[in-house]
């Protein structure tokens, strides 16, 4: 376990770089739930403009960043994309898809940008380009309060649930000894399996973890983060023109207070 502890420290210090070593990695065993496709269908929200359409690919299973509310895809990422589209004088169209599909949709021009709480890592940088970072986050571990698991050290040899193709799944496979990682199409399904005892813990990004345990008195989030990461907007590799424009738009909405306003709508200062 000593080695594991060291690894965690390293992840916390350089998670983005280490993510690169993770590779895609196939899952161990998948449960029936993991084959269920995302239930949300593709929906479109628009902002008024005349300068073309900016298509955002997302995976609307990740509250509060992107989720379906009353048949509409909403959330922090969606509103931020609207602000960016506005800056670019474009109309935003939101396209829902599997999380991993975002990385294939970009090179094929099916979407212009990917925003889905996407962590920057070296492996993804070989497939897509990224904008400047727009959100710092941590990965957290959800367990049952009565599980006896009090720190990440206790996850050795356990069954851990995570969303398919995410850095939560790759980190779990890399850094927990003898772990069995079960991947689900959405973290909510992993939490359902945690409640019924099929998995011992779920690893997921911090804000979605808070959403997932809301109203579930038997669950808790371990105090120590499993990893630290940064979200950025994924863009087709080589499209430096769009990357440049998006970075400018990002800088503008950070300078003019719109980013802070949006942040306060979804998060409290303590989330920072
Ligand atoms: N931040 C994680 C990743 O990029 C999870 C993203 C998600 O599930 N939408 O892998």
């Amino acid at each position: 376990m000593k080695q594991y502890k060291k690894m965690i420290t390293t992840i916390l210090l350089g998670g983005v770089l280490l993510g690169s070593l993770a590779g895609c990695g196939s899952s161990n065993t998948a449960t029936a739930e993991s084959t269920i496709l995302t239930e949300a269908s593709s929906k479109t929200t628009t902002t008024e403009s005349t300068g073309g359409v900016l298509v955002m690919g997302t995976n609307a299973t990740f509250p509060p960043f992107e989720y379906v509310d009353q048949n509409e895809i909403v959330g922090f990422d969606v509103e931020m994309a609207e602000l960016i589209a506005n800056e670019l004088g474009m109309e935003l169209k939101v396209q829902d898809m599997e999380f991993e599909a975002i990385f294939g949709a970009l090179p094929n021009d099916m979407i212009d940008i990917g925003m889905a709480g996407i962590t920057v890592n070296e492996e993804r940088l070989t497939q897509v380009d990224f904008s400047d970072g727009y959100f710092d986050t941590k990965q957290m571990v959800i367990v049952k309060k009565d599980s006896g698991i009090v720190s990440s050290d206790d996850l050795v040899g356990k069954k851990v649930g995570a969303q398919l193709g995410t850095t939560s799944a790759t980190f779990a496979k890399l850094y927990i000894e003898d772990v069995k990682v079960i991947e689900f199409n959405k973290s909510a399904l992993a939490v359902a399996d945690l409640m019924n005892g099929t998995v011992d813990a779920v690893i997921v990004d911090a804000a979605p973890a808070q959403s997932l345990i809301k109203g579930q008195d038997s669950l808790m989030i371990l105090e120590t983060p499993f990893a630290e990461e940064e979200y950025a907007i994924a863009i087709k590799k080589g499209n430096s023109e769009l990357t440049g424009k998006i970075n400018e738009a990002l800088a503008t909405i950070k300078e003019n207070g719109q980013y802070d306003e949006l942040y306060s709508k979804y998060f409290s200062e303590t989330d920072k």
Side-chain angles (χ1 to χ4, degrees), residues 62 99 116-119 124 163 166-167 205 229 231:
F62 201 63
F99 181 72
I118 301 176
T119 300
R124 290 175 183 165
Q163 186 174 348
T166 60
T167 47
D205 301 30
E229 307 181 320
Y231 298 157

Side-chain angles (χ1 to χ4, degrees), residues 155-177:
L155 294 176
V156 172
K158 296 274 196 264
K159 284 188 213 141
V160 171
Q163 186 174 348
L164 186 71
T166 60
T167 47
S168 317
T170 45
F171 280 153
K173 287 175 208 164
L174 268 181
Y175 302 119
I176 304 171
E177 272 171 45

Side-chain angles (χ1 to χ4, degrees), residues 129-146:
D129 286 341
F130 278 104
S131 70
D132 294 335
Y134 70 87
F135 200 94
D136 291 327
T137 188
K138 298 178 178 78
Q139 283 192 28
M140 308 303 288
V141 181
I142 305 175
V143 294
K144 274 190 176 162
K145 281 179 186 161
D146 62 3

Side-chain angles (χ1 to χ4, degrees), residues 10-255:
T10 322
I11 299 171
L12 287 168
L13 293 174
V16 169
L17 186 68
L18 277 168
S20 68
L21 305 171
C24 277
S26 58
S27 58
N28 294 344
T29 313
T31 63
E33 286 93 332
S34 70
T35 58
I36 294 171
L37 294 177
T38 308
E39 280 150 23
S41 57
S42 302
K43 283 164 198 90
T44 301
T45 58
T46 54
T47 53
E48 281 177 29
S49 89
T50 50
V53 177
L54 184 73
V55 184
M56 162 185 168
T58 196
N59 175 239
T61 67
F62 201 63
F65 293 95
E66 40 272 322
Y67 57 102
V68 178
D69 186 26
Q70 296 178 0
N71 279 343
E72 225 188 297
I73 299 173
V74 295
F76 180 89
D77 282 348
V78 178
E79 290 199 45
M80 214 179 83
E82 271 164 6
L83 292 175
I84 288 169
N86 222 31
E87 281 304 315
L88 302 182
M90 296 175 89
E91 180 189 316
L92 180 72
K93 183 172 180 248
V94 182
Q95 181 80 45
D96 196 20
M97 55 185 62
E98 297 290 339
F99 181 72
E100 286 187 301
I102 294 170
F103 302 98
L106 281 167
N108 290 314
D109 294 316
M110 288 162 66
I111 55 174
D112 302 306
I113 57 171
M115 281 182 84
I118 301 176
T119 300
V120 181
N121 70 18
E122 291 295 323
E123 189 244 328
R124 290 175 183 165
L125 277 166
T126 63
Q127 300 171 281
V128 296
D129 286 341
F130 278 104
S131 70
D132 294 335
Y134 70 87
F135 200 94
D136 291 327
T137 188
K138 298 178 178 78
Q139 283 192 28
M140 308 303 288
V141 181
I142 305 175
V143 294
K144 274 190 176 162
K145 281 179 186 161
D146 62 3
S147 67
I149 298 171
V150 294
S151 87
S152 305
D153 290 359
D154 302 325
L155 294 176
V156 172
K158 296 274 196 264
K159 284 188 213 141
V160 171
Q163 186 174 348
L164 186 71
T166 60
T167 47
S168 317
T170 45
F171 280 153
K173 287 175 208 164
L174 268 181
Y175 302 119
I176 304 171
E177 272 171 45
D178 299 326
V179 71
K180 184 172 185 185
V181 177
I182 302 179
E183 295 186 61
F184 298 81
N185 265 85
K186 50 184 184 179
S187 302
L189 293 173
V191 170
D193 267 21
L194 175 63
M195 309 263 287
N196 71 31
T198 313
V199 297
D200 304 300
V202 172
I203 299 182
V204 64
D205 301 30
Q210 292 291 350
S211 292
L212 286 163
I213 67 155
K214 214 172 258 169
Q216 307 292 354
D217 287 345
S218 60
L219 302 182
M220 66 174 191
I221 298 172
L222 298 186
E223 214 170 292
T224 314
F226 187 65
E228 287 185 358
E229 307 181 320
E230 185 179 42
Y231 298 157
I233 301 169
I235 299 158
K236 182 181 181 177
K237 201 152 199 47
N239 193 349
S240 49
E241 193 190 335
L242 184 61
T243 307
K245 281 189 193 166
I246 286 186
N247 282 339
E248 270 175 42
L250 256 178
T252 306
I253 64 168
K254 280 185 179 166
E255 271 159 35

